[in-house]
């Protein structure tokens, strides 16, 4: 079984969601634009190539004709980027229209970035909007923005002032998307300077002003170029979890043969989060229903305390460890599985959580640290457990997600594993995705430090 889609003939890059006639039909970048279909975001079918070679964009259908907007690049004598247009009557065979290609104007927008065109119909203005990854002209390098053009015929576009230009990022705001849900408009985009994530903003109008929510991301650095798709009922964000094939900055020690030190690459495996709209309009994420229900077999638990006075009762484990670190080990991590449990505490621990691919030394492995005093979930690797790893990580956190924890409250934790992919959901609020390359065929573990923790209703689910 595969929980997360990955093409057999190579990695997948940016996903372009599209929905029609009861079927989600996300395109993705690989060897050009390719397409798969799914009804549940677990089973994917019918991959085909469109023959279009270019960067991210969008699809709209008007009077029975499909319009694809995408981007292309040239590098001689200068690097230039172009918004492009193609059409199709059958969704598979596409005709490019080079006469509709256009680049930035050089007046409102710099000539550098001009890509990832996303087109919607603006009902209020009765015209088409195209938003793009762009650079607004300005005095500093912090010119990344969401550009805006308007059209009445999908062929001729007028340049407008940027839709969103916060003068924050040096990078263009990649893969922008805009959609309405109830009374709120949402603007999403991805950045790769200062931060490396997919962000969102919210407003009561497509013209802004755009509010930055307290938590303005959906996942970690391992969920990039994410765009929105909906069937009109449920809403989803489609991004990719990257590979780590390259050692671009030569961080790896010469004697180290693994990948966990490597730099994150472009492209990888599709990850789809289901969106939840909170009462105040902010967005949370959870797992799609079919993925959550993918497993039917519950493995018998075999828990072995390593340190500390653990209390074990069937599918639960608890520990009171006020002055140190307590750990236990249980089943091996299957190649594809779901681990779920309810966690809580009364005496606020310094940290507690779940370890993966751990052995009886309880050192090398991968850790999901729940840290109430710091209001976060932190992911860290066993590379930090020895001196050379400490030189690699001269800081205290590798990846983290904000999470508010309260004493006496239960939190539903779900951990999904597919080969090297690790994906955590907590309380239908936050997601934390990452990779585990160097270790496999080791064990799950539980731990707590300087406080107490309860792990209840533990279930390890497999096929």
């Amino acid at each position: 079984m595969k929980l997360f889609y990955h093409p057999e003939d190579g990695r997948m890059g940016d996903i372009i969601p599209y929905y029609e006639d009861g079927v989600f039909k996300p395109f993705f970048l690989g060897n050009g634009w390719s397409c798969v279909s799914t009804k549940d975001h677990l089973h994917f079918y019918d991959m085909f190539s469109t023959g279009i070679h270019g960067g991210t964009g969008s699809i709209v259908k008007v009077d029975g004709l499909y319009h694809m907007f995408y981007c292309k690049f040239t590098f001689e004598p200068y690097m230039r980027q172009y918004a492009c247009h193609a059409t199709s009557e059958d969704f598979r065979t596409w005709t490019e229209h080079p006469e509709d290609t256009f680049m930035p104007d050089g007046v409102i927008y710099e000539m550098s970035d001009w890509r990832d065109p996303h087109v919607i119909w603006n009902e209020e203005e009765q015209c088409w909007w195209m938003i793009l990854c762009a650079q607004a002209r300005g005095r500093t390098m912090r010119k990344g923005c969401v550009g805006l053009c308007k059209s009445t015929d999908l062929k001729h576009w007028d340049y407008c002032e940027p839709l969103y230009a916060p003068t924050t990022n040096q990078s263009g705001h990649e893969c922008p998307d805009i959609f309405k849900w109830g009374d709120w408009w949402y603007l999403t985009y991805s950045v790769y300077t200062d931060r490396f994530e997919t962000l969102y903003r919210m407003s009561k109008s497509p013209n802004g002003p755009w509010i930055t929510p307290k938590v303005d991301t959906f996942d970690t650095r391992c969920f990039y170029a994410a765009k929105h798709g909906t069937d009109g009922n449920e809403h989803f964000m489609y991004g990719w979890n990257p590979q780590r094939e390259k050692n671009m900055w030569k961080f790896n020690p010469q004697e180290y043969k693994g990948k966990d030190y490597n730099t994150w690459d472009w492209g990888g495996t599709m990850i789809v989060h289901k969106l939840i709209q909170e009462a105040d309009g902010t967005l949370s994420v959870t797992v799609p229903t079919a993925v959550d229900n993918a497993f039917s077999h519950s493995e018998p638990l075999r828990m072995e305390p390593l340190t500390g006075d653990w209390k074990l009762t069937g599918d639960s484990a608890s520990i009171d460890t006020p002055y140190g670190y307590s750990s236990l080990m249980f089943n091996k991590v299957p190649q594809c599985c779901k681990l779920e449990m309810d966690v809580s505490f009364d005496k606020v621990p310094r940290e507690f959580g779940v370890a993966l691919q751990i052995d009886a030394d309880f050192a090398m492995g991968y850790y999901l640290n729940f840290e109430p005093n710091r209001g976060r979930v932190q992911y860290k690797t066993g590379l930090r457990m020895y001196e050379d790893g400490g030189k690699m990580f001269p800081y205290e956190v590798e990846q983290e997600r904000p999470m508010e924890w309260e004493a006496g409250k239960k939190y539903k934790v779900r951990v999904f594993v597919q080969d090297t992919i690790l994906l955590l959901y907590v309380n239908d609020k936050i997601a934390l995705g990452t990779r585990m390359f160097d270790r496999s065929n080791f064990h799950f573990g539980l731990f707590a430090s300087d406080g107490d923790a309860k792990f209840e209703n533990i279930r390890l689910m497999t096929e």
Side-chain angles (χ1 to χ4, degrees), residues 418-430:
Q418 177 186 296
D419 302 318
T420 64
I421 294 173
L422 169 60
L423 182 54
L424 165 74
Y425 293 97
V426 181
N427 251 24
D428 296 322
K429 288 286 186 182
I430 68 111

Side-chain angles (χ1 to χ4, degrees), residues 46-66:
D46 303 326
M47 187 178 78
F48 67 90
S49 177
T50 65
I52 297 294
H53 294 270
T56 310
S58 59
I59 302 285
V60 296
K61 186 179 182 181
V62 184
D63 297 330
L65 186 67
Y66 298 97

Side-chain angles (χ1 to χ4, degrees), residues 118-153:
H118 183 86
V119 173
I120 65 166
W121 173 254
N122 186 309
E123 187 68 29
E124 294 179 8
E125 296 188 0
Q126 288 293 295
C127 70
W128 295 98
W129 275 24
M130 176 188 289
I131 60 174
L132 306 99
C133 169
Q135 295 267 359
R137 293 182 66 84
R139 296 182 62 181
T140 74
M141 285 297 292
R142 296 178 181 272
K143 295 179 285 189
C145 72
V146 177
L148 176 63
C149 294
K150 299 180 183 181
S151 173
T152 57
D153 61 5

Side-chain angles (χ1 to χ4, degrees), residues 46-249:
D46 303 326
M47 187 178 78
F48 67 90
S49 177
T50 65
I52 297 294
H53 294 270
T56 310
S58 59
I59 302 285
V60 296
K61 186 179 182 181
V62 184
D63 297 330
L65 186 67
Y66 298 97
H67 296 259
M68 176 191 294
F69 296 91
Y70 57 104
C71 53
K72 287 192 174 183
F73 311 87
T74 59
F75 300 95
E76 297 293 341
Y78 307 104
M79 192 280 288
R80 292 289 183 261
Q81 301 176 4
Y82 307 85
C84 303
H85 181 209
T87 56
S88 174
E89 295 181 353
D90 63 4
F91 202 66
R92 288 177 174 258
T93 304
W94 294 84
T95 301
E96 297 185 81
H97 300 283
E99 69 276 11
D100 297 343
T101 298
F102 68 105
M103 63 192 323
D105 62 345
V107 179
I108 301 173
Y109 299 102
E110 297 279 8
M111 300 302 290
S112 52
D113 292 338
W114 195 252
R115 61 185 182 275
D116 309 341
H118 183 86
V119 173
I120 65 166
W121 173 254
N122 186 309
E123 187 68 29
E124 294 179 8
E125 296 188 0
Q126 288 293 295
C127 70
W128 295 98
W129 275 24
M130 176 188 289
I131 60 174
L132 306 99
C133 169
Q135 295 267 359
R137 293 182 66 84
R139 296 182 62 181
T140 74
M141 285 297 292
R142 296 178 181 272
K143 295 179 285 189
C145 72
V146 177
L148 176 63
C149 294
K150 299 180 183 181
S151 173
T152 57
D153 61 5
L154 294 174
K155 294 177 68 67
H156 304 93
W157 295 90
D158 296 324
Y159 300 95
C160 303
E161 291 296 321
L163 181 65
Y164 182 62
T167 62
T168 302
N169 299 100
Q170 296 181 54
S171 63
H173 291 181
E174 294 194 304
C175 303
D177 198 344
I178 184 172
F179 61 97
K180 189 179 184 183
W181 187 355
D183 294 331
W184 288 96
W185 284 86
Y186 298 93
L187 177 66
T188 69
Y189 60 93
S190 295
V191 294
Y192 55 88
T193 58
D194 186 45
R195 304 167 74 178
F196 209 126
E197 297 170 293
T198 297
L199 314 176
Y200 83 94
R201 302 292 182 258
M202 49 195 291
S203 176
K204 288 298 182 73
S205 165
N207 295 292
W210 294 100
I211 301 166
T212 301
K214 181 178 179 180
V215 179
D216 63 346
T217 54
F218 303 100
D219 198 334
T220 66
R221 186 259 176 270
C222 291
F223 186 68
Y224 194 73
K227 298 192 71 171
H228 166 262
T230 182
D231 59 2
N233 180 30
E234 294 184 309
H235 294 254
F236 302 90
M237 289 297 291
Y238 299 70
W240 45 260
N241 183 307
Q243 296 281 0
R244 302 188 81 170
E245 299 294 334
K246 300 176 183 178
N247 179 24
M248 292 177 60
W249 300 109

Side-chain angles (χ1 to χ4, degrees), residues 265-282:
D265 300 340
W266 181 91
T269 299
M270 183 192 299
I271 301 294
V272 182
H273 294 314
K274 180 180 175 180
L275 292 177
I276 295 174
Q277 188 181 51
E278 305 292 351
D280 62 358
T282 58

Side-chain angles (χ1 to χ4, degrees), residues 309-335:
D309 185 19
W310 289 85
K311 303 294 189 295
L312 306 181
T313 55
D315 61 357
S316 299
S318 61
I319 185 70
D320 190 354
T321 180
Y323 304 114
Y325 190 100
S326 295
S327 59
L328 70 77
M329 183 174 65
F330 61 105
N331 302 47
K332 282 191 173 182
V333 180
Q335 188 174 13

Side-chain angles (χ1 to χ4, degrees), residues 271-437:
I271 301 294
V272 182
H273 294 314
K274 180 180 175 180
L275 292 177
I276 295 174
Q277 188 181 51
E278 305 292 351
D280 62 358
T282 58
L283 299 176
S284 300
V285 296
T286 189
V287 57
T289 302
V291 176
D292 192 33
N293 296 334
F295 301 109
S296 58
H297 177 69
S298 183
E299 297 282 344
L301 297 175
R302 299 179 296 276
M303 292 188 281
E304 178 186 353
L306 300 177
T307 57
D309 185 19
W310 289 85
K311 303 294 189 295
L312 306 181
T313 55
D315 61 357
S316 299
S318 61
I319 185 70
D320 190 354
T321 180
Y323 304 114
Y325 190 100
S326 295
S327 59
L328 70 77
M329 183 174 65
F330 61 105
N331 302 47
K332 282 191 173 182
V333 180
Q335 188 174 13
C336 190
C337 65
K338 176 178 79 166
L339 174 68
E340 64 180 8
M341 65 187 73
D342 298 319
V343 303
S344 61
F345 56 86
D346 294 316
K347 307 168 190 174
V348 179
R350 181 174 64 86
E351 61 180 357
F352 70 111
V354 179
L356 300 94
Q357 307 297 3
I358 202 82
D359 58 20
D361 292 333
F362 221 85
M364 297 299 293
Y366 307 96
Y367 295 83
L368 295 169
N369 277 24
F370 307 149
E371 301 177 2
N373 286 327
R374 297 189 173 186
R376 71 184 184 187
V377 177
Q378 182 199 171
Y379 169 76
K380 65 178 181 179
T381 64
L383 295 174
R384 289 167 55 182
M385 301 306 161
Y386 66 103
E387 183 180 4
D388 284 348
K391 294 174 182 176
M392 165 63 187
F393 300 107
Y395 41 82
E396 201 175 359
V397 63
E398 291 175 49
Q399 295 187 54
E400 66 178 354
R401 295 290 293 146
M403 184 71 204
E404 295 182 0
W405 302 90
E406 298 178 23
K409 180 178 179 179
K410 286 189 178 182
Y411 297 84
K412 185 175 183 62
V413 170
R414 286 173 286 189
V415 178
F416 294 86
V417 173
Q418 177 186 296
D419 302 318
T420 64
I421 294 173
L422 169 60
L423 182 54
L424 165 74
Y425 293 97
V426 181
N427 251 24
D428 296 322
K429 288 286 186 182
I430 68 111
L432 186 156
T434 188
R435 290 272 188 169
M436 310 175 293
F437 281 107

